[in-house]
């Protein structure tokens, strides 16, 4: 099955300016998601961004870059709007989209591989999979969303 890791990285964070390229442990934050996707065996990793600085870093770490229109990079823009607009632009359209938020640096390749494996075994029942787990904090470092772009 063809799988694309899709990493949305908006440049206009208000709470932490340039957060997606801020250094964490000597690497830009977004690098962790790119590296985990590549290490898990994903053939195509696409960073979707509106920022040239993010695009440069993404390419340095081995990702393809898909520039997002400014209208889809607003504070109130939903992830659904981004996915609905940007996924159809991927050529060729993959069978599976793996959505990885760049703000989850502790997600490892095992989390990605496990999610993909589970999803592929359940294709007859589900068209998407979202990691949902009760954790003491608001943050879930292993969040992975896997889905078929067509919904079946």
């Amino acid at each position: 099955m063809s799988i694309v890791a899709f990493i949305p990285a908006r440049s206009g964070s208000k709470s932490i300016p340039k957060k997606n390229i801020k250094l964490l442990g000597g690497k830009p934050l977004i690098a962790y998601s790119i590296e985990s996707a590549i290490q898990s065996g994903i053939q195509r990793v696409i960073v979707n961004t509106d920022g040239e600085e993010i695009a440069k870093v993404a390419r340095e770490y081995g990702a393809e870059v898909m520039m997002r229109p400014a209208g889809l990079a607003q504070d109130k823009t939903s992830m659904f709007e981004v996915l609905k607009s940007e996924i159809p632009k991927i050529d060729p359209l993959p069978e599976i989209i793996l959505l990885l938020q760049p703000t989850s640096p502790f997600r490892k390749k095992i989390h990605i591989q496990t999610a993909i494996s589970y999803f592929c075994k359940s294709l007859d029942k589900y068209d998407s999979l979202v990691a949902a787990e009760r954790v003491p904090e608001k943050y879930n470092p292993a969040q992975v969303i896997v889905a078929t772009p067509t919904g079946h």
Side-chain angles (χ1 to χ4, degrees), residues 110-131:
I110 189 66
H111 299 122
I112 294 170
Q113 290 170 333
T114 301
I116 291 170
S117 175
Y118 182 82
F119 181 70
C120 287
K121 289 176 187 171
S122 306
L123 281 173
D124 59 328
K125 298 177 191 163
Y126 308 109
D127 62 9
S128 63
L129 168 73
V130 178

Side-chain angles (χ1 to χ4, degrees), residues 27-104:
K27 282 194 276 197
L29 182 63
I30 195 168
Y32 291 93
S33 292
I34 295 168
E35 289 176 339
S36 292
I38 291 169
Q39 290 167 3
S40 71
I42 303 296
Q43 297 299 310
R44 285 184 78 189
V45 178
I46 298 174
V47 170
N48 180 269
T49 186
D50 63 318
E52 288 298 332
E53 287 180 285
I54 294 171
K56 182 178 184 277
V57 170
R59 287 184 190 102
E60 288 172 5
Y61 281 88
E64 294 176 40
V65 172
M66 188 180 199
M67 295 306 290
R68 180 190 314 180
L72 287 174
Q74 305 304 308
D75 288 343
K76 302 268 186 204
T77 304
S78 71
M79 186 52 54
F80 176 76
E81 291 173 274
V82 172
L83 295 171
K84 184 177 177 184
S85 171
E86 301 299 284
I87 294 301
K89 296 176 186 175
I90 298 173
D91 187 31
L93 191 62
E95 295 169 278
I96 295 175
I97 298 292
L98 177 71
L99 175 62
L100 300 175
Q101 296 291 353
T103 52
S104 296

Side-chain angles (χ1 to χ4, degrees), residues 130-141:
V130 178
E133 174 181 336
R134 180 171 285 215
V135 291
E137 303 89 32
K138 180 179 170 185
Y139 177 71
N140 182 356

